[in-house]
Amino acid sequence: MVRLRVEFTTEPFDLDEAPAHAVVAREVIQSAELDAVDVGPFGNTAEGGSEEVLGAVGELLRRSLAAGATRVSLQVNVIGGADEAGEAGK
């Protein structure tokens, strides 16, 4: 199984109070079937199987943009199952 790590932030930032789009994004990630979820004020990470991560990312984008995010920055890395990842690309 291919495992992925997603790191993300939503903007605009508000250091006084978490904006609605940030709250929604965190709720999506925390309620998804992912491992090693770490949320914080300046970035968030989660790991899991590729289908779970990709599904959560799609939901995160839809819901955080609908809640007022003007920018969502994402980085997705393959962290396990590289042999399977190579096979999937053939």
Side-chain angles (χ1 to χ4, degrees):
M1 173 202 267
V2 175
R3 289 187 49 81
L4 301 175
R5 175 183 298 125
V6 61
E7 300 174 44
F8 69 92
T9 58
T10 61
E11 296 180 39
F13 294 113
D14 183 342
L15 296 179
D16 294 328
E17 183 178 333
H21 58 80
V23 173
V24 166
R26 290 179 189 145
E27 287 173 354
V28 168
I29 291 299
Q30 290 175 326
S31 67
E33 294 183 26
L34 302 174
D35 311 326
V37 174
D38 183 25
V39 297
F42 300 109
N44 308 283
T45 61
E47 298 177 7
S50 60
E51 291 301 315
E52 291 80 9
V53 170
L54 295 174
V57 166
E59 185 70 11
L60 180 150
L61 290 170
R62 282 188 290 278
R63 292 190 52 203
S64 61
L65 292 169
T70 58
R71 179 180 182 147
V72 179
S73 299
L74 290 168
Q75 180 171 311
V76 178
N77 294 302
V78 175
I79 58 170
D83 290 340
E84 291 180 31
E87 291 296 318
K90 291 183 179 179

